[in-house]
Amino acid sequence: MSDLQQGCSPSECGTKPACAGCSHNHNQAAETAEKEPPKVRKVIGVVSGKGGVGKSLVSGELAVMLSRMGYRVGVLDADITGPSIPRMFGIHDKALGDGEHIFPAETEKGIEVMSINLMLENDDAPVIWRGPVIGAVKQFWEDVAWGELDVMVIDMPPGTGDVPLTVFQSIPLDGVVVVSTPQDLVGMIVRKAVNMANMMNIPVLGLVENMSYVLCPDCGKKIDVFGESHVAETAAEFGVPVLALFIILGMLMGSDGIFGIEFS
């Protein structure tokens, strides 16, 4: 009955333009079944309850740290509308493909990277996206010719809405790292991110606080620029560790801050 309602017979299934996206498209189902998942041992998502807290910075630093420990690492930039991973790694070459696979870019130290910015003609062009963002993220997961990796770090879309939720459901995450900053409002948002991960039964590996404090370049005094940190209390509330504090070293008026990491 369903084939008649679609206006086609079983022998025609998957052969017409109107078949694209049809739940009865047997050929499409077969193509999906033939795709093998990437050969990745562990997948770690870096999440935040809101944008602007330094999630991409933490993703990049985590990837570099794991690479220095001898692991084979890849970074999937799933923040489609705010991609910054390629520039962070100094990657300017565009992604190439052979019609079947997309080949990830590679950093000087051998970290594999895939981002929507590697497919834009101009790095500064806005990503004006209409339609399901998850389609691009799934393509980066399924259609990119990733090598055999020990760890895949995924820079997740910010927030706790439909897009990160769908990523949680579509990619087999082994755990997430939640990024925060010291502001009280961000603390509330962090709780939302942790609660969403718990609802999806995805382990929270720990919290990272970015821009935790500034060290005065003259006297070394600790300055809580964004207020007193409450990350330890939030971590204790959920029974997860504080993995690291990203601190600002030598920040001077008119110059970029130099970041350091204080491990817990």
Side-chain angles (χ1 to χ4, degrees), residues 7-255:
C8 62
S9 65
S11 62
E12 297 175 318
C13 185
T15 63
K16 297 181 177 181
C19 294
C22 174
S23 60
H24 302 280
N25 187 341
H26 303 309
N27 288 346
Q28 179 175 284
E31 289 176 4
T32 303
E34 289 171 3
K35 289 184 178 179
E36 293 185 5
K39 296 178 180 178
V40 181
R41 291 178 58 194
K42 296 293 181 181
V43 183
I44 300 174
V46 180
V47 306
S48 63
K50 66 183 294 294
V53 299
K55 175 175 50 59
S56 296
L57 173 65
V58 173
S59 299
E61 291 289 351
L62 176 59
V64 170
M65 182 183 70
L66 291 169
S67 177
R68 288 175 177 171
M69 294 170 65
Y71 294 107
R72 295 166 297 180
V73 184
V75 181
L76 192 163
D77 190 353
D79 192 354
I80 298 298
T81 56
S84 56
I85 291 294
R87 179 166 294 188
M88 186 175 298
F89 281 102
I91 298 174
H92 302 288
D93 295 333
K94 300 305 177 184
L96 301 176
D98 61 1
E100 183 177 355
H101 294 100
I102 306 168
F103 299 105
E106 194 169 298
T107 70
E108 292 181 359
K109 302 298 183 181
I111 298 173
E112 297 185 8
V113 174
M114 189 62 217
S115 169
I116 193 71
N117 250 23
L118 298 177
M119 306 179 76
L120 298 177
E121 184 175 344
N122 183 352
D123 289 349
D124 297 323
V127 182
I128 302 174
W129 194 277
R130 178 173 293 169
V133 171
I134 188 59
V137 176
K138 289 183 69 175
Q139 186 176 10
F140 288 168
W141 172 253
E142 296 175 347
D143 295 343
V144 171
W146 299 104
E148 292 192 16
L149 301 177
D150 296 309
V151 185
M152 170 79 76
V153 177
I154 300 184
D155 183 8
M156 298 281 287
T160 56
D162 182 61
V163 176
L165 177 63
T166 309
V167 174
F168 277 173
Q169 295 172 328
S170 304
I171 296 178
L173 294 170
D174 293 290
V176 296
V177 172
V178 181
V179 182
S180 70
T181 56
Q183 298 99 319
D184 288 338
L185 177 61
V186 174
M188 180 190 69
I189 301 299
V190 165
R191 292 180 177 87
K192 292 180 180 290
V194 172
N195 284 327
M196 184 171 74
N198 289 336
M199 290 174 61
M200 301 299 296
N201 294 318
I202 297 173
V204 178
L205 304 178
L207 307 185
V208 172
E209 185 174 74
N210 188 29
M211 298 179 283
S212 187
Y213 57 88
V214 173
L215 283 181
C216 175
D218 294 324
C219 65
K221 180 181 178 181
K222 175 181 172 182
I223 306 170
D224 295 323
V225 177
F226 298 107
E228 184 180 355
S229 171
H230 298 286
V231 67
E233 293 93 324
T234 304
E237 178 182 342
F238 290 100
V240 298
V242 177
L243 300 177
L245 305 179
F246 279 48
I247 61 179
I248 306 173
L249 305 172
M251 183 175 175
L252 301 174
M253 188 67 68
S255 67

